[in-house]
Amino acid sequence: MEKHKVHVNGIDMVYEECGQENEKTIILIHGFCGSSHYWHNVCPLLTEHYRVIMPQLRGHGETSVPDNIYTMEALADDINGLVEKLGIEKTVLFGHSLGGYVTLAFADKYPDKLSGFGLIHSTALPDTEEMKRKRYQDIAFIQKEGIEPYVHELIPKLFKESKRQDMPDEVEKVKEAGLKMSAKGAIHTLEGMMMRPDRSAMLHEACYPILLVAGADDEVVSPDDTFSVNEQETPKTTYEYPHIQENTFEGVAHMSLFEAPEQLARVIANYLRTLGEKEPVRAL
């Protein structure tokens, strides 16, 4: 994998890539307190047919940490800056958790630049009042205690308990990515996540296939939240929309990128093959 740095949207953004430049480009966006490292187990499984770009969002990894609220729209603007810098006319985005919120903001602002997108352990729904209260508590905790104890408490909860025991090295790698964040970057990201709107209408209105992946044991973003599509204030499931490919991973929590990378790569590859088909096939 190659690491690069570009100046976009007023920041220095670091990204990694693998695959061949002459292949179709897909972009994999990591989650909160993560980095491009989140996708290292998945990326090599997709390089035969795709050029894979893995950016590090502002405030994360080695990318700049500006002192303002990181709205999902601002993060989407950063991704757009990267897309333009690399001369990519059209792409497919896959966003994990926070990365899914950014993906939706990008799809909202730059629809002509997408052929499709996937939400991995994410949701189009906004924060509930309870979730906002929890984010305020997290901000207060980070301000008082710092980023290190916050990361040590947060990361294990992302994995299924049995997986934490089976893959301690992977859990530690995820912690290491989180510990590279500054308190300022984490706080500004939490502030931005609270501000995101309800974008669930984008799912049922999309003119191309959409991929949704949930972990059956995910305690961060439940499958119900991943698969919920709201229309005129009446919740509906994705089964009423045949262009939405719904996948639930059994025995997986919030981190299929580490807990089941081969399964996730297969589902992503299957989804990518459906793009352009008149009748999208639901991934198995």
Side-chain angles (χ1 to χ4, degrees), residues 4-15 30 34 55-70 74-75 78 180-182 184-186 188-189:
H4 307 276
K5 181 186 290 185
V6 293
H7 188 75
V8 297
N9 199 27
I11 65 169
D12 290 324
M13 172 178 277
V14 172
Y15 71 95
H30 62 78
Q56 297 181 0
L57 298 173
R58 63 170 58 197
H60 293 71
E62 300 169 70
T63 293
S64 300
V65 188
D67 193 9
N68 50 43
I69 296 175
Y70 304 165
L75 297 175
D78 294 343
K180 290 181 180 179
M181 286 198 76
S182 66
K184 179 172 69 175
H188 288 328
T189 306

Side-chain angles (χ1 to χ4, degrees), residues 15-271:
Y15 71 95
E16 293 187 88
E17 70 172 289
C18 56
Q20 303 298 319
E21 284 195 17
N22 60 343
E23 299 291 348
K24 295 180 180 178
T25 301
I26 63 175
I27 298 177
L28 309 179
I29 308 177
H30 62 78
F32 177 53
C33 283
S35 74
S36 53
H37 168 77
Y38 269 28
W39 293 100
H40 280 190
N41 293 335
V42 176
C43 178
L45 304 176
L46 299 171
T47 54
E48 184 177 356
H49 300 292
Y50 302 99
R51 177 192 184 192
V52 184
I53 305 294
M54 298 167 288
Q56 297 181 0
L57 298 173
R58 63 170 58 197
H60 293 71
E62 300 169 70
T63 293
S64 300
V65 188
D67 193 9
N68 50 43
I69 296 175
Y70 304 165
T71 66
M72 301 306 99
E73 292 75 19
L75 297 175
D77 290 341
D78 294 343
I79 300 297
N80 180 60
L82 177 63
V83 166
E84 291 188 343
K85 185 75 72 171
L86 298 179
I88 300 169
E89 294 184 3
K90 211 146 192 166
T91 187
V92 182
L93 297 187
F94 298 92
H96 170 252
S97 197
L98 161 66
Y101 310 153
V102 178
T103 293
L104 285 163
F106 186 97
D108 201 5
K109 294 193 71 173
Y110 307 103
D112 294 340
K113 296 185 178 182
L114 282 183
S115 300
F117 67 80
L119 306 183
I120 314 301
H121 307 290
S122 192
T123 179
L125 298 173
D127 273 0
T128 63
E129 291 305 312
E130 180 180 355
M131 292 169 66
K132 289 180 181 179
R133 285 193 293 271
K134 178 61 168 62
R135 296 204 197 278
Y136 280 122
Q137 292 171 358
D138 288 349
I139 290 171
F141 181 88
I142 295 170
Q143 290 172 332
K144 180 179 180 180
E145 304 293 340
I147 191 66
E148 184 171 350
Y150 178 75
V151 168
H152 281 293
E153 180 180 343
L154 169 69
I155 298 305
K157 297 177 182 177
L158 306 182
F159 291 82
K160 184 177 171 64
E161 184 176 359
S162 61
K163 295 292 177 69
R164 293 201 297 268
Q165 299 170 357
D166 294 340
M167 51 179 61
D169 291 342
E170 295 286 20
V171 175
E172 286 304 312
K173 289 178 182 178
V174 176
K175 284 184 181 179
E176 289 175 10
L179 292 173
K180 290 181 180 179
M181 286 198 76
S182 66
K184 179 172 69 175
I187 289 169
H188 288 328
T189 306
L190 286 164
E191 291 170 333
M193 287 192 287
M194 284 192 288
M195 296 171 62
R196 71 186 197 279
D198 186 344
R199 287 194 163 100
S200 52
M202 293 180 61
L203 301 183
H204 63 76
E205 293 173 356
C207 59
Y208 42 63
I210 291 173
L211 175 67
L212 301 179
V213 172
D217 299 308
D218 194 338
E219 297 181 0
V220 179
V221 179
S222 71
D224 285 345
D225 284 344
T226 297
F227 301 141
S228 177
V229 180
N230 286 348
E231 185 176 22
Q232 297 179 347
E233 300 181 356
T234 303
K236 296 188 178 184
T237 67
T238 55
Y239 288 107
E240 298 178 59
Y241 302 101
H243 67 286
I244 299 179
Q245 301 181 20
E246 176 182 320
N247 299 266
T248 302
F249 290 4
E250 298 297 330
V252 170
H254 195 64
M255 299 296 283
S256 63
L257 303 82
F258 294 92
E259 296 173 293
E262 295 86 0
Q263 183 180 4
L264 178 59
R266 284 197 303 271
V267 166
I268 288 175
N270 182 71
Y271 163 76

